[in-house]
Short mmCIF file of all heavy atoms in Angstrom, two decimals:
data_model
loop_
_atom_site.label_atom_id
_atom_site.label_comp_id
_atom_site.label_asym_id
_atom_site.label_seq_id
_atom_site.Cartn_x
_atom_site.Cartn_y
_atom_site.Cartn_z
N MET A 473 36.02 8.24 6.55
CA MET A 473 35.58 7.32 7.60
C MET A 473 34.61 6.36 7.06
O MET A 473 33.54 6.77 6.50
CB MET A 473 34.95 8.23 8.68
CG MET A 473 34.53 7.49 9.91
SD MET A 473 34.30 8.75 11.19
CE MET A 473 33.10 7.97 12.09
N PRO A 474 34.84 5.10 7.12
CA PRO A 474 33.90 4.10 6.57
C PRO A 474 32.64 4.06 7.39
O PRO A 474 32.60 4.19 8.64
CB PRO A 474 34.69 2.84 6.64
CG PRO A 474 35.76 3.03 7.65
CD PRO A 474 36.00 4.47 7.74
N ARG A 475 31.54 3.64 6.72
CA ARG A 475 30.23 3.51 7.37
C ARG A 475 30.18 2.24 8.12
O ARG A 475 30.79 1.20 7.73
CB ARG A 475 29.11 3.50 6.38
CG ARG A 475 28.94 4.82 5.68
CD ARG A 475 27.86 4.81 4.61
NE ARG A 475 26.62 4.48 5.35
CZ ARG A 475 25.48 4.32 4.61
NH1 ARG A 475 25.41 4.46 3.36
NH2 ARG A 475 24.42 4.05 5.34
N LYS A 476 29.57 2.25 9.25
CA LYS A 476 29.45 1.01 10.13
C LYS A 476 28.37 0.10 9.44
O LYS A 476 27.36 0.60 9.01
CB LYS A 476 29.12 1.36 11.52
CG LYS A 476 30.14 2.08 12.22
CD LYS A 476 29.70 2.37 13.66
CE LYS A 476 30.77 3.19 14.43
NZ LYS A 476 30.37 3.49 15.74
N SER A 477 28.67 -1.20 9.46
CA SER A 477 27.64 -2.13 8.95
C SER A 477 26.56 -2.27 9.94
O SER A 477 26.70 -2.58 11.16
CB SER A 477 28.35 -3.54 8.73
OG SER A 477 27.35 -4.41 8.36
N PRO A 478 25.28 -2.21 9.52
CA PRO A 478 24.15 -2.38 10.48
C PRO A 478 23.93 -3.95 10.88
O PRO A 478 23.18 -4.24 11.75
CB PRO A 478 22.92 -1.88 9.68
CG PRO A 478 23.34 -1.97 8.24
CD PRO A 478 24.81 -1.73 8.25
N PHE A 479 24.78 -4.79 10.26
CA PHE A 479 24.53 -6.25 10.48
C PHE A 479 25.77 -6.78 11.21
O PHE A 479 25.95 -8.01 11.36
CB PHE A 479 24.52 -6.96 9.15
CG PHE A 479 23.46 -6.58 8.27
CD1 PHE A 479 23.62 -5.65 7.19
CD2 PHE A 479 22.12 -6.96 8.45
CE1 PHE A 479 22.58 -5.26 6.37
CE2 PHE A 479 21.05 -6.59 7.69
CZ PHE A 479 21.32 -5.71 6.67
N LYS A 480 26.60 -5.91 11.84
CA LYS A 480 27.87 -6.40 12.45
C LYS A 480 27.71 -7.37 13.60
O LYS A 480 28.37 -8.36 13.64
CB LYS A 480 28.63 -5.17 12.92
CG LYS A 480 30.04 -5.59 13.40
CD LYS A 480 30.90 -4.33 13.62
CE LYS A 480 32.25 -4.73 13.98
NZ LYS A 480 33.15 -3.64 14.18
N HIS A 481 26.78 -7.13 14.49
CA HIS A 481 26.71 -7.95 15.66
C HIS A 481 25.49 -8.86 15.65
O HIS A 481 24.97 -9.20 16.72
CB HIS A 481 26.72 -7.14 16.95
CG HIS A 481 28.06 -6.37 17.08
ND1 HIS A 481 29.18 -6.97 17.40
CD2 HIS A 481 28.38 -5.12 16.94
CE1 HIS A 481 30.17 -6.15 17.50
NE2 HIS A 481 29.67 -4.90 17.18
N HIS A 482 25.04 -9.22 14.47
CA HIS A 482 23.75 -10.07 14.43
C HIS A 482 24.18 -11.53 14.30
O HIS A 482 25.29 -11.92 13.88
CB HIS A 482 22.96 -9.71 13.18
CG HIS A 482 22.18 -8.38 13.44
ND1 HIS A 482 21.02 -8.35 14.09
CD2 HIS A 482 22.50 -7.16 13.10
CE1 HIS A 482 20.63 -7.07 14.13
NE2 HIS A 482 21.56 -6.35 13.54
N ARG A 483 23.30 -12.43 14.79
CA ARG A 483 23.57 -13.84 14.83
C ARG A 483 23.59 -14.50 13.45
O ARG A 483 24.24 -15.42 13.20
CB ARG A 483 22.50 -14.58 15.66
CG ARG A 483 22.63 -16.02 15.77
CD ARG A 483 21.50 -16.58 16.66
NE ARG A 483 21.50 -16.03 17.94
CZ ARG A 483 20.62 -16.34 18.86
NH1 ARG A 483 19.62 -17.16 18.58
NH2 ARG A 483 20.70 -15.76 20.04
N PHE A 484 22.67 -13.97 12.51
CA PHE A 484 22.55 -14.63 11.22
C PHE A 484 23.20 -13.75 10.13
O PHE A 484 23.49 -12.52 10.34
CB PHE A 484 21.05 -14.61 10.86
CG PHE A 484 20.25 -15.46 11.82
CD1 PHE A 484 19.43 -14.91 12.77
CD2 PHE A 484 20.35 -16.86 11.69
CE1 PHE A 484 18.74 -15.74 13.63
CE2 PHE A 484 19.67 -17.66 12.64
CZ PHE A 484 18.80 -17.03 13.61
N PRO A 485 23.55 -14.39 9.07
CA PRO A 485 24.23 -13.67 7.94
C PRO A 485 23.40 -12.62 7.29
O PRO A 485 22.16 -12.65 7.38
CB PRO A 485 24.55 -14.79 6.91
CG PRO A 485 24.34 -16.05 7.60
CD PRO A 485 23.39 -15.79 8.77
N ARG A 486 24.06 -11.64 6.72
CA ARG A 486 23.41 -10.44 6.10
C ARG A 486 22.37 -10.86 5.08
O ARG A 486 21.21 -10.32 5.11
CB ARG A 486 24.51 -9.58 5.52
CG ARG A 486 23.97 -8.42 4.70
CD ARG A 486 25.09 -7.70 4.05
NE ARG A 486 24.60 -6.63 3.10
CZ ARG A 486 24.41 -6.85 1.90
NH1 ARG A 486 24.59 -8.00 1.37
NH2 ARG A 486 23.94 -5.79 1.14
N ASP A 487 22.62 -11.76 4.23
CA ASP A 487 21.78 -12.19 3.12
C ASP A 487 20.49 -12.81 3.69
O ASP A 487 19.42 -12.64 3.19
CB ASP A 487 22.45 -13.18 2.24
CG ASP A 487 23.54 -12.52 1.39
OD1 ASP A 487 23.46 -11.29 1.23
OD2 ASP A 487 24.47 -13.27 0.94
N PHE A 488 20.60 -13.63 4.76
CA PHE A 488 19.44 -14.27 5.42
C PHE A 488 18.54 -13.22 6.00
O PHE A 488 17.28 -13.25 5.83
CB PHE A 488 19.93 -15.23 6.45
CG PHE A 488 18.78 -16.05 7.09
CD1 PHE A 488 18.35 -17.18 6.42
CD2 PHE A 488 18.21 -15.65 8.27
CE1 PHE A 488 17.33 -17.85 6.93
CE2 PHE A 488 17.26 -16.38 8.85
CZ PHE A 488 16.75 -17.51 8.16
N ILE A 489 19.11 -12.19 6.67
CA ILE A 489 18.32 -11.12 7.27
C ILE A 489 17.57 -10.32 6.18
O ILE A 489 16.34 -10.08 6.29
CB ILE A 489 19.19 -10.18 8.11
CG1 ILE A 489 19.80 -10.97 9.27
CG2 ILE A 489 18.39 -8.96 8.61
CD1 ILE A 489 20.79 -10.20 10.13
N LEU A 490 18.22 -9.99 5.10
CA LEU A 490 17.63 -9.27 4.07
C LEU A 490 16.55 -10.04 3.37
O LEU A 490 15.49 -9.47 3.03
CB LEU A 490 18.70 -8.81 2.99
CG LEU A 490 19.63 -7.83 3.51
CD1 LEU A 490 20.75 -7.47 2.51
CD2 LEU A 490 18.94 -6.45 3.88
N CYS A 491 16.73 -11.35 3.17
CA CYS A 491 15.71 -12.16 2.57
C CYS A 491 14.47 -12.16 3.46
O CYS A 491 13.30 -12.12 3.00
CB CYS A 491 16.26 -13.53 2.29
SG CYS A 491 15.12 -14.68 1.52
N ALA A 492 14.67 -12.40 4.74
CA ALA A 492 13.54 -12.48 5.74
C ALA A 492 12.77 -11.19 5.71
O ALA A 492 11.54 -11.12 5.69
CB ALA A 492 14.05 -12.79 7.08
N VAL A 493 13.46 -10.02 5.71
CA VAL A 493 12.72 -8.77 5.69
C VAL A 493 12.04 -8.50 4.38
O VAL A 493 10.88 -8.00 4.40
CB VAL A 493 13.79 -7.55 5.90
CG1 VAL A 493 13.18 -6.28 5.68
CG2 VAL A 493 14.40 -7.68 7.32
N ARG A 494 12.66 -8.97 3.30
CA ARG A 494 11.96 -8.83 1.98
C ARG A 494 10.64 -9.60 1.95
O ARG A 494 9.61 -9.10 1.51
CB ARG A 494 12.90 -9.31 0.87
CG ARG A 494 12.45 -9.06 -0.54
CD ARG A 494 13.41 -9.44 -1.52
NE ARG A 494 14.72 -8.79 -1.41
CZ ARG A 494 15.84 -9.45 -1.15
NH1 ARG A 494 15.92 -10.78 -1.22
NH2 ARG A 494 17.03 -8.76 -1.02
N TRP A 495 10.70 -10.82 2.46
CA TRP A 495 9.45 -11.68 2.55
C TRP A 495 8.46 -11.08 3.37
O TRP A 495 7.22 -11.13 3.14
CB TRP A 495 9.78 -13.07 2.93
CG TRP A 495 10.51 -13.90 1.94
CD1 TRP A 495 10.85 -13.59 0.63
CD2 TRP A 495 10.96 -15.22 2.11
NE1 TRP A 495 11.47 -14.59 0.04
CE2 TRP A 495 11.53 -15.59 0.92
CE3 TRP A 495 10.92 -16.16 3.12
CZ2 TRP A 495 12.18 -16.84 0.72
CZ3 TRP A 495 11.53 -17.41 2.93
CH2 TRP A 495 12.05 -17.70 1.80
N TYR A 496 8.89 -10.55 4.60
CA TYR A 496 7.99 -9.93 5.54
C TYR A 496 7.20 -8.73 4.90
O TYR A 496 6.05 -8.53 5.14
CB TYR A 496 8.76 -9.55 6.77
CG TYR A 496 7.91 -8.77 7.78
CD1 TYR A 496 7.04 -9.46 8.64
CD2 TYR A 496 7.93 -7.35 7.91
CE1 TYR A 496 6.29 -8.78 9.63
CE2 TYR A 496 7.23 -6.72 8.82
CZ TYR A 496 6.37 -7.39 9.66
OH TYR A 496 5.58 -6.71 10.60
N LEU A 497 7.90 -7.94 4.12
CA LEU A 497 7.29 -6.77 3.51
C LEU A 497 6.53 -7.14 2.27
O LEU A 497 5.52 -6.55 1.95
CB LEU A 497 8.40 -5.77 3.11
CG LEU A 497 9.15 -5.15 4.29
CD1 LEU A 497 10.22 -4.29 3.76
CD2 LEU A 497 8.24 -4.35 5.17
N ARG A 498 6.88 -8.22 1.60
CA ARG A 498 6.19 -8.62 0.35
C ARG A 498 4.86 -9.41 0.67
O ARG A 498 3.84 -9.14 -0.05
CB ARG A 498 7.13 -9.48 -0.48
CG ARG A 498 6.52 -10.15 -1.69
CD ARG A 498 6.09 -9.11 -2.68
NE ARG A 498 5.65 -9.74 -3.88
CZ ARG A 498 4.31 -9.88 -4.17
NH1 ARG A 498 3.43 -9.63 -3.25
NH2 ARG A 498 3.98 -10.41 -5.24
N TYR A 499 4.85 -10.26 1.59
CA TYR A 499 3.70 -11.11 1.97
C TYR A 499 3.11 -10.73 3.31
O TYR A 499 3.71 -11.10 4.33
CB TYR A 499 4.08 -12.61 1.88
CG TYR A 499 4.73 -13.04 0.62
CD1 TYR A 499 6.03 -13.25 0.49
CD2 TYR A 499 3.91 -13.14 -0.59
CE1 TYR A 499 6.67 -13.61 -0.65
CE2 TYR A 499 4.51 -13.52 -1.71
CZ TYR A 499 5.89 -13.77 -1.80
OH TYR A 499 6.42 -14.06 -3.01
N PRO A 500 1.97 -10.00 3.33
CA PRO A 500 1.34 -9.57 4.60
C PRO A 500 0.65 -10.72 5.27
O PRO A 500 -0.56 -10.86 5.21
CB PRO A 500 0.42 -8.47 4.18
CG PRO A 500 0.02 -8.86 2.78
CD PRO A 500 1.21 -9.55 2.13
N LEU A 501 1.44 -11.57 5.96
CA LEU A 501 0.83 -12.70 6.68
C LEU A 501 0.58 -12.30 8.14
O LEU A 501 1.39 -11.69 8.80
CB LEU A 501 1.78 -13.89 6.71
CG LEU A 501 1.96 -14.61 5.31
CD1 LEU A 501 2.98 -15.71 5.43
CD2 LEU A 501 0.65 -15.10 4.82
N SER A 502 -0.65 -12.75 8.69
CA SER A 502 -0.98 -12.52 10.01
C SER A 502 -0.71 -13.88 10.65
O SER A 502 -0.60 -14.91 10.03
CB SER A 502 -2.33 -12.04 10.25
OG SER A 502 -3.22 -12.98 9.81
N TYR A 503 -0.80 -13.90 11.99
CA TYR A 503 -0.74 -15.18 12.70
C TYR A 503 -1.90 -16.10 12.27
O TYR A 503 -1.74 -17.32 12.29
CB TYR A 503 -0.73 -14.94 14.20
CG TYR A 503 0.51 -14.43 14.74
CD1 TYR A 503 0.58 -13.22 15.41
CD2 TYR A 503 1.66 -15.11 14.59
CE1 TYR A 503 1.74 -12.72 15.89
CE2 TYR A 503 2.93 -14.50 15.06
CZ TYR A 503 2.90 -13.40 15.68
OH TYR A 503 4.04 -12.87 16.17
N GLN A 504 -3.07 -15.51 12.08
CA GLN A 504 -4.23 -16.36 11.70
C GLN A 504 -3.98 -17.00 10.27
O GLN A 504 -4.34 -18.17 10.06
CB GLN A 504 -5.43 -15.52 11.58
CG GLN A 504 -6.74 -16.35 11.42
CD GLN A 504 -6.97 -17.40 12.37
OE1 GLN A 504 -6.81 -17.10 13.61
NE2 GLN A 504 -7.36 -18.53 11.98
N ASP A 505 -3.30 -16.28 9.38
CA ASP A 505 -2.96 -16.87 8.08
C ASP A 505 -1.99 -18.07 8.25
O ASP A 505 -2.14 -19.01 7.52
CB ASP A 505 -2.31 -15.80 7.14
CG ASP A 505 -3.37 -14.69 6.80
OD1 ASP A 505 -4.53 -14.99 6.73
OD2 ASP A 505 -2.87 -13.59 6.53
N VAL A 506 -1.09 -17.94 9.13
CA VAL A 506 -0.06 -19.01 9.31
C VAL A 506 -0.77 -20.24 9.88
O VAL A 506 -0.55 -21.37 9.45
CB VAL A 506 1.04 -18.54 10.20
CG1 VAL A 506 1.91 -19.62 10.56
CG2 VAL A 506 1.81 -17.39 9.53
N VAL A 507 -1.71 -20.01 10.84
CA VAL A 507 -2.48 -21.13 11.43
C VAL A 507 -3.36 -21.85 10.34
O VAL A 507 -3.35 -23.08 10.28
CB VAL A 507 -3.37 -20.67 12.58
CG1 VAL A 507 -4.29 -21.75 13.04
CG2 VAL A 507 -2.51 -20.18 13.71
N ASP A 508 -4.00 -21.05 9.45
CA ASP A 508 -4.80 -21.62 8.37
C ASP A 508 -3.96 -22.36 7.41
O ASP A 508 -4.28 -23.37 6.94
CB ASP A 508 -5.58 -20.60 7.71
CG ASP A 508 -6.69 -19.92 8.62
OD1 ASP A 508 -6.98 -20.55 9.59
OD2 ASP A 508 -7.16 -18.90 8.28
#
């Protein structure tokens, strides 16, 4: 039985989601950092 893809019904491509998550975990930015 094949595993279900966790990205099946998302709006964005898999690579874009993984890149965004990787940046989110790598760079701890707060809203105040973004404003500055």
Side-chain angles (χ1 to χ4, degrees):
M473 189 164 143
R475 292 180 62 182
K476 293 181 182 178
S477 173
F479 302 101
K480 187 171 184 178
H481 296 288
H482 287 277
R483 180 181 301 178
F484 298 104
R486 174 184 174 268
D487 293 334
F488 186 81
I489 295 172
L490 291 176
C491 184
V493 170
R494 189 176 302 123
W495 286 359
Y496 176 78
L497 294 175
R498 174 64 177 93
Y499 303 106
L501 292 176
S502 67
Y503 286 121
Q504 187 61 44
D505 293 333
V506 173
V507 170
D508 291 343

